[in-house]
Amino acid sequence: MSQILVVGSLAYDSIETPSGKSPKTLGGSANYFSLAASLLSKVRVVGVVGEDYADEDYQLLEKRNVDLSGLEKVKGKTFHWEGFYEGSLNEAKTLKTDLNVFEHFNPKLPEAFKDSQFVFLANIAPELQLQVLSQVKNPKFVGMDTMNFWISSKKSILMDVLKKVNVILINEGESQMLTGAANAISAAIAISKLGPEAVVVKRGEYGFILYHREHGFFALPAMTMPEVIDPTGAGDTFAGGFFGTLAGMDRRPSFEDMKKACVVGTLLASFTIQDFGVKSLAKVNMSALKSRRDEYKKTVSFEKDFVEI
Ligand code: AMP
């Protein structure tokens, strides 16, 4: 089993969805990613929190054996994101982003993290993504995420990060914003020309599209969930399931491996949306994941002869 190094935000989020409000809830891309990936592989976190970060929030990751030796606690406040969702809940609207301790963060990898084989640059300022990646000696497989906030404010650094990764996982709207493409399919093709050999476009309830430059497309809907309480973190959870699966296989990922990894990402994301913040994801175990896989299989597969043509 390989080690995954992740850099991303550890946050307190203030979220409003049609189901209600959840102020100062534990969130952040690195938290969702690590909770998901640590079910399947070993995770090392690089990030920063403020003095207000609660002990019980550290313990959540410690309980999953996540290595927190790259997590700094400094003077000031933890990153805070405030957002809301309307209608179909497929797109978060940002009201406020307080970078706080991330503003002056200068990540320095612990010596023991530098040999990490799998690296995930979760949603965080692109210069921090680059700074972390440059300290890893010889990674086997590198992935990234990003969001509209960075596409509009730091596009040229983001382009540098894109050149250095094997895969990007990105929301549909953001894939179009990044490329100017009119739909997710053409956006995926356009992004693969900017660097990554594989592109995963995340499409909320419509699922995902995986595009590989040599092997083409693989796409599935999301798990059919009648009630979505809070979609925050679904994308980061997907990425955690995706990377956790690949690192668990311990080889240079093939297209087939990535297809399986996308399915696991889909299954784990379906837990995250069932409650605010990380509440539901934190309770998932392997047996819950397996039964969800069995349920999902029923909705997405059929035998060839089922349709007589
Ligand atoms: P998603 O999986 O896309 O729903 O990610 C939601 C998480 O992203 C939230 O928990 C936020 O704390 C975090 N987030 C929001 N804006 C930013 C940002 N500009 N940089 C890093 N993380 C962010």
Side-chain angles (χ1 to χ4, degrees), residues 92-156:
K93 302 259 169 49
T94 296
L95 289 171
K96 209 159 147 225
T97 303
D98 301 316
L99 292 176
N100 297 336
V101 291
F102 267 107
E103 213 159 339
H104 302 292
F105 182 46
N106 184 13
K108 249 190 116 9
L109 257 52
E111 214 38 55
F113 280 17
K114 293 186 178 169
D115 65 354
S116 303
Q117 294 290 292
F118 286 74
V119 178
F120 189 66
L121 311 169
N123 180 22
I124 195 66
E127 63 272 23
L128 295 179
Q129 294 179 317
L130 275 186
Q131 241 173 297
V132 166
L133 186 57
S134 69
Q135 295 174 58
V136 185
K137 282 186 197 132
N138 193 15
K140 200 185 274 176
F141 193 72
V142 182
M144 70 178 286
D145 189 359
T146 193
M147 71 179 294
N148 47 17
F149 187 76
W150 306 116
I151 299 172
S152 53
S153 61
K154 305 222 161 141
K155 189 157 177 191
S156 83

Side-chain angles (χ1 to χ4, degrees), residues 9 11 13 27-28 32 79 81 97 123-124 147 149-150 232-236:
S9 54
D13 294 336
Y32 287 106
F79 177 92
W81 174 76
T97 303
N123 180 22
I124 195 66
M147 71 179 294
F149 187 76
W150 306 116
T232 309
D236 306 313

Side-chain angles (χ1 to χ4, degrees), residues 23 60 86 91 155 167 170 197 229 233 235 286:
L60 210 55
E86 302 168 310
E91 200 193 337
K155 189 157 177 191
V167 63
I170 187 165
E197 71 207 40
I229 302 293
M286 287 313 277

Side-chain angles (χ1 to χ4, degrees), residues 36 38-41 64 264 268 271 283-293:
S38 59
L39 285 167
L40 306 149
S41 191
R64 291 269 177 94
V264 178
L268 282 170
F271 288 98
K283 288 186 221 141
V284 178
N285 56 29
M286 287 313 277
S287 103
L289 183 58
K290 282 182 185 158
S291 47
R292 197 146 287 189
R293 174 199 54 198

Side-chain angles (χ1 to χ4, degrees), residues 3-61:
Q3 296 272 357
I4 310 171
L5 174 77
V6 59
V7 60
S9 54
L10 295 105
Y12 287 125
D13 294 336
S14 298
I15 306 161
E16 183 168 359
T17 78
S19 301
K21 282 187 186 185
S22 187
K24 299 271 164 82
T25 307
L26 180 66
S29 53
N31 265 324
Y32 287 106
F33 179 93
S34 303
L35 281 170
S38 59
L39 285 167
L40 306 149
S41 191
K42 292 197 164 164
V43 183
R44 300 163 160 172
V45 174
V46 176
V48 65
V49 294
E51 296 153 306
D52 55 344
Y53 203 72
D55 287 347
E56 66 203 53
D57 295 335
Y58 277 106
Q59 285 154 11
L60 210 55
L61 293 185

Side-chain angles (χ1 to χ4, degrees), residues 127-275:
E127 63 272 23
L128 295 179
Q129 294 179 317
L130 275 186
Q131 241 173 297
V132 166
L133 186 57
S134 69
Q135 295 174 58
V136 185
K137 282 186 197 132
N138 193 15
K140 200 185 274 176
F141 193 72
V142 182
M144 70 178 286
D145 189 359
T146 193
M147 71 179 294
N148 47 17
F149 187 76
W150 306 116
I151 299 172
S152 53
S153 61
K154 305 222 161 141
K155 189 157 177 191
S156 83
I157 311 176
L158 200 58
M159 289 297 175
D160 292 339
V161 190
L162 269 160
K163 290 191 194 107
K164 296 183 194 299
V165 301
N166 302 96
V167 63
I168 179 170
L169 298 101
I170 187 165
N171 284 350
E172 176 165 28
E174 286 152 2
S175 72
Q176 291 170 253
M177 182 179 173
L178 183 63
T179 57
N183 61 57
I185 311 253
S186 52
I189 297 171
I191 294 172
S192 76
K193 292 180 181 151
L194 303 173
E197 71 207 40
V199 178
V200 179
V201 181
K202 299 168 288 179
R203 309 179 64 219
E205 66 182 298
Y206 307 111
F208 68 86
I209 294 170
L210 164 67
Y211 174 69
H212 190 285
R213 206 187 290 139
E214 279 168 39
H215 303 285
F217 285 101
F218 178 67
L220 282 171
M223 178 96 196
T224 42
M225 303 296 288
E227 193 176 38
V228 180
I229 302 293
D230 171 20
T232 309
D236 306 313
T237 306
F238 184 109
F242 180 87
F243 253 71
T245 302
L246 296 178
M249 291 173 175
D250 215 1
R251 55 180 179 240
R252 175 82 178 76
S254 67
F255 183 54
E256 286 305 304
D257 295 343
M258 289 188 221
K259 285 160 69 173
K260 288 182 192 159
C262 281
V263 171
V264 178
T266 299
L267 298 175
L268 282 170
S270 75
F271 288 98
T272 291
I273 64 176
Q274 286 185 297
D275 207 339

